Amino acid sequence: MGISIWQLLIVLGIVILLFGTKKLRNIGTDLGGAIRGFKKSMNDEDEKSEEADTLEGQKAEQTQADAKTQEKQKS
């Protein structure tokens, strides 16, 4: 047994009576904005970690190039 469509409609009707449509609309808008903000911050964090990996790779390459240049100068 599960929850029937009629039971869901009754619960929905009671919620609308208690809170009103404006309040429910505001709650939905706030929840949507929070989810969008969370997704944006997750994407920004991923981009920052990719940039950090790229910068670390560039620093390592530069260090290796500097070491080779110093060895050539010693010879």
Side-chain angles (χ1 to χ4, degrees):
M1 296 183 78
I3 298 175
S4 71
I5 188 73
W6 294 109
Q7 291 170 334
L8 289 175
L9 289 174
I10 291 170
V11 170
L12 179 64
I14 292 171
V15 168
I16 289 174
L17 286 174
L18 287 175
F19 295 107
T21 55
K22 275 189 175 182
K23 183 78 170 180
L24 291 176
R25 188 179 310 131
N26 290 341
I27 291 171
T29 302
D30 292 343
L31 183 62
I35 291 172
R36 269 186 251 116
F38 178 76
K39 286 182 180 179
K40 183 181 178 194
S41 67
M42 291 299 290
N43 288 336
D44 290 346
E45 185 175 308
D46 289 343
E47 290 173 5
K48 286 180 182 178
S49 67
E50 289 175 3
E51 289 175 9
D53 291 342
T54 304
L55 290 175
E56 288 175 8
Q58 290 174 350
K59 287 179 183 178
E61 290 174 2
Q62 184 64 35
T63 304
Q64 290 175 353
D66 291 343
K68 288 180 182 180
T69 304
Q70 288 177 355
E71 287 177 15
K72 288 181 181 179
Q73 289 176 351
K74 288 181 182 178
S75 301

